[in-house]
């Protein structure tokens, strides 16, 4: 890991491929977009990607190493302030009971970093890690893996990458099963429940049977790692007489929690999960305490503790983490004076909800929004970094026309068991807004790597 790593220009790995190969890849993707994106989550009714982004393997490896070191620094910043999950919850001003299944007495330990996904945009050619999602309930993984391996199969069928050192990023779904098995110390053939909240907001969740059928290949994938995976809504879980969790008619040996602990819908099934955890009969991937590490106030602590860190770690934070402070009344004058260079956002929020981008707002709207955020509490003020734009190729759904456009994008590498694997690319579309999330029509895919 090099604090001064010379990042290649965005899009260079793509343009370094032979021009005939690039043309053929776009043509193949444009012709097969319905197959590539069948069943994948999106709200976009106008555009599909004609190809995935391409990165060099060296740059992706460097990015994973940087992300892993900074997440360790986040945990260290929390541990300087709190010994347990309960102490951290109180410091973050998270209400009692808001984070479901939280054991207040659980120590803050390194095992909480078993699953995380930073959100990274490139600004001025350098990665800017705008937030960390530290939890097992990381969205987009199934879509990223499925799409990139469909692209890879399409290119293989056409012989487009023959003789070229180009391949999909390692399967994040594979690495997650490795981490589940190894982190929980599961025996071969362990029955593991993958529980989801089908009352949450996500495309397709309104039809649980179809959604579970789409996810069914995960069971075959898990079996390769010695896991007997059963997929079900969390509301269907129950307890047996030994206070073991019962899913799909039989007890399970462990839980893979794929629901967000502060947004899961209350149910008898969730109560059953809580009962099994309290009884000590249910190993869970991962503890709800991990979710507290995702709170963006931790970014302010990184900057506040800068002088306590080794020079190499200081350099990493200065280069890759946007300057962040808690948005309190003493920051109002600065917020108003530096509006064009600042972003205000909820410390515990996600999906772009409640984010205020100073340069996109009138002074009156910005001041009103900042004052309201200060009054509400639980917000941060962060240095604005404009996302670089990169040329990408799209298919217009209605006409079938292929269009090349300069769009913003972000990258979200997945690390399970502190090991890098694949990544989710959130790609903007022609004429899109700057905030990149699923609800605003962003297009999602995995990535290709090249040597």
């Amino acid at each position: 890991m090099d604090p001064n790593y010379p990042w290649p220009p965005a899009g260079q790995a793509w343009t370094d491929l032979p021009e005939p190969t690039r043309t053929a890849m776009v043509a193949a993707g444009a012709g097969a977009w319905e197959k590539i994106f069948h069943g994948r989550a999106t709200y976009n009714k106008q555009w599909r990607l004609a190809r995935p982004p391409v990165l060099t393997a060296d740059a992706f490896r460097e990015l994973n190493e940087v992300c892993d070191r900074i997440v360790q620094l986040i945990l260290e910043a929390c541990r300087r302030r709190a010994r347990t999950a309960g102490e951290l919850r109180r410091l973050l001003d998270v209400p009692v009971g808001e984070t479901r299944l939280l054991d207040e007495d659980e120590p803050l330990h390194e095992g909480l970093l078993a699953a995380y996904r930073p959100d990274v945009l490139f600004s001025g050619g350098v990665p800017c890690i705008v937030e960390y999602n530290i939890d097992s309930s990381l969205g987009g993984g199934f879509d990223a893996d499925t799409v990139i391996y469909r692209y890879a199969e399409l290119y293989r069928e056409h012989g487009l990458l023959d003789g070229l050192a180009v391949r999909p990023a390692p399967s994040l779904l594979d690495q997650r099963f490795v981490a589940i098995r190894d982190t929980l110390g599961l025996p071969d053939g362990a029955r593991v429940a993958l529980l989801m909240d089908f009352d949450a907001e996500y495309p397709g969740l309104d039809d649980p049977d179809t959604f579970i059928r789409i996810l069914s290949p995960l069971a075959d994938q898990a079996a390769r790692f010695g896991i007997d995976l059963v997929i079900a809504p969390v509301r269907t879980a129950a307890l047996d007489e030994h206070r073991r969790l019962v899913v799909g008619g039989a007890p399970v040996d462990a839980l893979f929690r794929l629901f967000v602990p502060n947004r899961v819908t209350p149910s008898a099934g969730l109560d059953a999960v809580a009962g099994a955890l309290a009884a000590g009969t249910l190993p869970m991937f991962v503890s709800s305490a991990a979710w507290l590490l995702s709170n963006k106030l931790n970014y302010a602590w990184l900057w506040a503790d800068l002088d306590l860190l080794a020079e190499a770690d200081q350099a990493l934070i200065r280069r890759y983490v946007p300057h962040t402070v808690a948005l309190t009344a003493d920051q109002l004058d600065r917020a108003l004076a530096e509006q064009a260079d600042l972003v205000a956002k909820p410390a515990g929020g996600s999906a772009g909800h409640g984010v205020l981008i100073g340069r996109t707002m009138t002074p009156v709207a910005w001041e009103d929004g900042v004052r309201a955020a200060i009054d509400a509490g639980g917000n941060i003020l962060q240095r604005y970094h404009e996302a670089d734009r990169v040329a990408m190729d799209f298919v217009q759904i209605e006409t079938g026309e292929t269009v090349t456009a300069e769009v913003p994008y972000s990258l979200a590498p997945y690390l399970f068991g502190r090991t890098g694997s694949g990544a989710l690319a959130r790609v903007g579309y022609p004429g899109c807004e700057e905030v990149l999330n699923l609800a605003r029509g962003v297009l999602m895919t995995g990535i290709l790597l090249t040597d």
Side-chain angles (χ1 to χ4, degrees), residues 117 119 130-131 133 201 263 291 296 343-357 360-361 379 382 410 426 433-442:
R117 189 203 73 199
D119 288 346
V130 295
E131 65 180 71
N133 302 279
E201 291 184 7
R263 294 200 299 271
W291 181 253
K296 300 175 187 66
V343 176
K345 59 176 75 170
S350 60
H353 298 304
V355 174
L356 307 176
I357 302 175
T360 67
M361 304 174 68
N379 285 267
Q382 195 170 76
S410 66
R426 293 187 183 94
E433 299 178 357
E434 188 171 347
V435 177
L436 298 172
N437 61 59
L438 187 65
R440 302 195 187 196
V442 72

Side-chain angles (χ1 to χ4, degrees), residues 322-343 366 370 374 380-384:
H323 184 267
T324 306
V325 296
L327 181 50
T328 51
D330 62 337
Q331 293 293 325
L332 178 60
D333 290 344
R334 175 184 168 231
L336 300 183
E338 302 177 22
Q339 174 181 342
D341 297 319
L342 295 173
V343 176
W366 170 253
V370 168
I374 291 173
I380 61 167
L381 196 64
Q382 195 170 76
R383 177 67 57 183
Y384 172 83

